[in-house]
Amino acid sequence: MHRIQGWTGLRAAVIALGLVAWTATGATAAPLIYTTSGQVTPTTGVTGTNVVSFDPLSTGNSVDLSTGQTNAGLGNFVISPLAAGVTTTYSNTPIQISFLPASYGGTSLSSDAPVVVTGVLNGVVSGPSSSTVTATLNPPPSGLFNLGGTNAAEFSLPTSTLLLAPSTSNNGTTSAQGLVTLTDSPVPEPSTIALFLTTVGGLGLRRYVLSRRRPARV
């Protein structure tokens, strides 16, 4: 009878720990909603017909900051096809991309100024299938922005140089990305807390089982 009660208690403890883990991991992280804008200045440093444009992300973009750091798409550089034998040369042609945080966890961030990234295009587009054009991006002077309350994040660039694909490769599309990092120590995610509790509980249960297996003292 005592043995049955011991196993009943063990099963109850395991079920309780499982419920804690399931409940915690069911929580959802607060997303960062944002938009972008951007442009190529075709009136500076372009010899020939401008064929490079920037397609920003206007609506419905979000990233999950639950891990403390994540990549965020900014939009795409697009090269339109040139006729065979025709070339366009870019020499320090200015480009600009703006990252505009909109809300975080339902809190509006519309009052925050956008993070602005500048850069230049250099290289040659030849016909429909050749491009040596690179987009060189400068780190923003200040990438910090407020997430509401005491929360803050920083925008940076995972890479500063992009080789732009010609129109015959990936439809002439090259993606640009930023890196968003929480600047303060985030509160541990519920899934992390659940894992910790499960581990601690498992060690306690193991100790309990071992103690039950020891022969009783006379």
Side-chain angles (χ1 to χ4, degrees):
M1 182 64 179
H2 187 72
R3 179 183 179 86
I4 294 175
Q5 289 177 346
W7 278 109
T8 301
L10 176 61
R11 286 197 299 269
V14 170
I15 292 172
L17 285 172
L19 288 174
V20 169
W22 176 81
T23 302
T25 53
T28 57
L32 171 64
I33 310 297
Y34 69 96
T35 61
T36 67
S37 63
Q39 63 180 0
V40 175
T41 305
T43 56
T44 303
V46 180
T47 303
T49 302
N50 177 50
V51 290
V52 180
S53 60
F54 185 78
D55 186 14
L57 305 179
S58 55
T59 59
N61 314 293
S62 66
V63 290
D64 181 7
L65 286 176
S66 61
T67 62
Q69 186 180 74
T70 186
N71 283 326
L74 301 178
N76 302 306
F77 288 98
V78 181
I79 293 184
S80 301
L82 280 172
V86 179
T87 63
T88 297
T89 302
Y90 294 87
S91 179
N92 292 324
T93 301
I95 53 179
Q96 179 174 302
I97 303 173
S98 297
F99 177 80
L100 303 97
S103 67
Y104 180 67
T107 301
S108 175
L109 307 175
S110 58
S111 60
D112 282 9
V115 177
V116 179
V117 175
T118 60
V120 292
L121 298 178
N122 283 288
V124 179
V125 178
S126 301
S129 58
S130 177
S131 170
T132 63
V133 177
T134 58
T136 303
L137 304 176
N138 304 313
S142 176
L144 292 174
F145 59 94
N146 196 289
L147 293 176
T150 60
N151 298 315
E154 182 175 13
F155 176 90
S156 59
L157 296 172
T159 181
S160 60
T161 303
L162 300 172
L163 177 62
L164 304 191
S167 62
T168 54
S169 177
N170 197 34
N171 295 319
T173 299
T174 303
S175 298
Q177 288 192 328
L179 187 66
V180 180
T181 306
L182 291 175
T183 57
D184 51 357
S185 299
V187 176
E189 280 298 297
S191 58
T192 303
I193 297 173
L195 178 61
F196 172 77
L197 291 176
T198 304
T199 302
V200 172
L203 292 174
L205 289 173
R206 181 175 181 275
R207 184 175 179 181
Y208 171 80
V209 171
L210 291 176
S211 67
R212 299 297 298 172
R213 291 178 179 175
R214 292 173 186 169
R217 294 181 181 178
V218 179

